[in-house]
Amino acid sequence: MTRLCIAGVGSAFGADRIGWDAVEAVAANAPPFSAEEVLLRCCAPFELPPLLATAEAAILVDALVGDNKARGWLLLDAAALAPRHELSSHGFGIAQALAVLRALGRLPSPLLLYGIRIDDPAASAAPPLPDGLIAEIAHRAARILCRCRQAPA
Amino acid sequence: MDEQRRVAIRVPVLARVEGEGALEIDVRGDRIEALRLRIYEPPRFFEKFLEGREAHEVPDMVARICGICPVAYQMSAVQALERIAGLDPGPWVAAMRRLIYCGEWIESHCLHIHMLSAPDFLGYPGVVEMARDHPREVSRGLALQGIGNALIRLLGARSVHPVGVRLGGFHHAPAQAEVAAMQARVEAALPQAQALLAWCASLPFPVVQQRFTSVALRAAAGYPIDGGHIVSDAGLDIAADEFEQHFAEHQVPHSTALHCLLHGHPYLAGPLARLNLNIDRMPAVVQGALDATGLRFPSANPYHGLVARAAEVLYALHEAQRLLRDYARPASPYADYVPRAGSASGCTEAPRGLLWHRYSTDSDGIVKAARIVPPTSQNQARIEEDLRRSLQEYGLERADDELRALGERVIRNYDPCISCATHFLDLRVRRQ
């Protein structure tokens, strides 16, 4: 069982890879996490169920098409995502993945989703990561780990 | 039935699909006037993109064709390009290629069985509802899928669009400790895979018998994954280089994907075809597990493809265990590739069936021509044939919803790449 999974969700293509960029930046720039405790992954939505089924807590990072110009990203409670929303062009998105885990009673907790705003989902390359995002994810991860360590086994 | 009854079933968007497609059926009286599995996704032109690129770029480029079976694309490509160069990367590379391929079979098959297909047979609208009533089975499926992903990551660095494959071998050889940990994980999962096979065989499949031609690879020894002759149960036995003499792709107006026919006729590629043609090549442990199900292969029931997938999951785990057990870290994980002018084909067994590639390169290793025939293209005509027969036998007088549900189930059963699907939504029925 992994304490915390930090997963960039998307694909290798264009703006869709911004979640992967974020997790790679966390791996490269954030204070190193113990590999025993933290799993860093770039994945597609259909990989989430097996990945998150073995995690106590999770932070997901994905592209978000929408207007959030103030900060460049949005922090959501991923567990509250409604499964009816198609978040993936392949039809199996984060919400569907989490719905499976919810039905199994295996949703990580907490389960946070950083949605990084992208203006053009069809762009051929991902935009730069918003300032402060990597530090924010690292800080949030450290707090979650601290809480996990204190929780009774 | 009223001879004038006309029904037009339109599924304009096959939702939750790997790609974009639709199903259209026109019924008049007691016969199907037209049936079209429409694939309207814009062409992706990968073959053209490859032209002018250096051969060493090809493995990373073709991995982008599919998120679920990228390894298959890489393996067929490196096989063809290395044949042009006269390069034999040796037994270690061959073993590791088989290992990463086992990972892909496991993850792809488990995804299809649990997320897409099994709910059809148990009467659930999807995996979420099935998971509530069958948590143990779905959890088991997730765990097995996770092992498949981990096997791909072991050699490919990541499980979607892996980047560890190169001409001549791999960029990186895993450490012995990583391999030992993976081996323990695989070994622990073997009983789970055995249980998966028994569970899949127990699903209430429709009793269907259809005549179709199975086409798959057959190797000199072992169950076919990464090489062999292309054979059929109608007597075909050819080398990969002879593919174009027997198989022809053609365009149909309703699809941007080509239809591939064998001597002008539809055929089946994929797990059921593989098992039908290679049941004798399964190791005793898998044959024993299959015997215990009471099902017999070769099978003419297309729905037994689900059982074939489960049998291949069990096989792939055993094969992975063997390959991991024999692992020794090499001095170099690749052999040097020296470009050469020429043309050659490569053919391997993607999770969904035969994946044939052909490349021509110049003396600098620049790709001059590329041709890729994926399994979905090969199965499209067979899917339409199955749809016609199944709907006709089911009874066209049935309600539109029933016809639609059967049509969707038939399509999903083939696990076409356009149908990494759980449901086809937004059915529209027009009656005249």
Side-chain angles (χ1 to χ4, degrees), chain A residues 13 41 46-47 50 90 106, chain B residues 18 64 139 142 145 159-160:
Chain A
F13 296 102
R41 284 280 182 269
F46 62 81
E47 291 182 286
H90 291 170
R106 294 174 74 172
Chain B
E18 180 82 27
R64 305 289 178 92
S139 294
L142 296 186
Q145 186 190 340
S159 50
V160 181

Side-chain angles (χ1 to χ4, degrees), chain B residues 71-316:
Chain B
V71 171
Y73 284 90
Q74 293 182 311
M75 294 300 117
S76 288
V78 296
Q79 190 183 96
L81 291 164
E82 288 170 2
R83 287 186 61 214
I84 296 173
L87 172 62
D88 176 1
W92 185 88
V93 170
M96 292 305 102
R97 284 179 175 168
R98 199 164 171 88
L99 179 63
I100 192 172
Y101 223 135
C102 284
E104 181 160 284
W105 275 20
I106 294 166
E107 62 87 11
S108 177
H109 286 349
C110 287
L111 178 72
H112 177 255
I113 290 170
H114 300 91
M115 301 286 179
L116 308 179
S117 193
D120 276 340
F121 301 108
L122 292 170
Y124 295 101
V127 62
V128 175
E129 295 80 3
M130 187 175 85
R132 291 187 190 116
D133 293 344
H134 298 272
R136 197 178 55 174
E137 286 79 7
V138 174
S139 294
R140 180 180 63 208
L142 296 186
L144 289 168
Q145 186 190 340
I147 287 175
N149 289 335
L151 279 167
I152 298 173
R153 265 198 309 275
L154 183 71
L155 288 150
R158 66 185 184 212
S159 50
V160 181
H161 313 313
V163 290
V165 174
R166 57 174 288 167
L167 289 178
F170 293 87
H171 289 290
H172 168 77
Q176 206 78 40
E178 289 177 88
V179 170
M182 193 68 241
Q183 189 189 346
R185 207 172 154 192
V186 166
E187 195 165 328
L190 289 170
Q192 302 291 303
Q194 191 121 2
L196 170 68
L197 174 54
W199 179 68
C200 285
S202 74
L203 293 173
F205 299 113
V207 179
V208 175
Q209 293 285 305
Q210 291 187 5
R211 291 183 65 182
F212 52 81
T213 300
S214 294
V215 174
L217 288 177
R218 186 166 170 87
Y223 198 73
I225 297 179
D226 46 1
H229 267 208
I230 301 170
V231 302
S232 82
D233 48 15
L236 183 78
D237 186 348
I238 59 169
D241 277 337
E242 299 171 89
F243 181 90
E244 287 166 304
Q245 297 165 30
H246 298 269
F247 296 82
E249 286 184 299
H250 68 283
Q251 198 154 19
V252 293
H254 57 273
S255 178
T256 54
L258 298 172
H259 279 210
C260 188
L261 300 175
L262 166 62
H263 302 146
H265 298 286
Y267 61 97
L268 175 72
L272 181 58
R274 274 196 295 265
L275 191 61
N276 278 348
L277 292 165
N278 291 282
I279 181 74
D280 60 315
R281 294 292 168 79
M282 276 294 192
V285 64
V286 181
Q287 286 200 32
L290 272 168
D291 286 345
T293 68
L295 300 177
R296 293 291 168 262
F297 292 87
S299 169
N301 184 343
Y303 292 112
H304 287 165
L306 193 82
V307 181
R309 280 187 181 85
E312 289 190 341
V313 170
L314 180 59
Y315 169 74

Side-chain angles (χ1 to χ4, degrees), chain B residues 338-356:
Chain B
V338 179
R340 190 192 283 179
S343 298
S345 50
C347 190
T348 65
E349 284 282 359
R352 295 169 185 81
L354 279 187
L355 175 56
W356 185 84

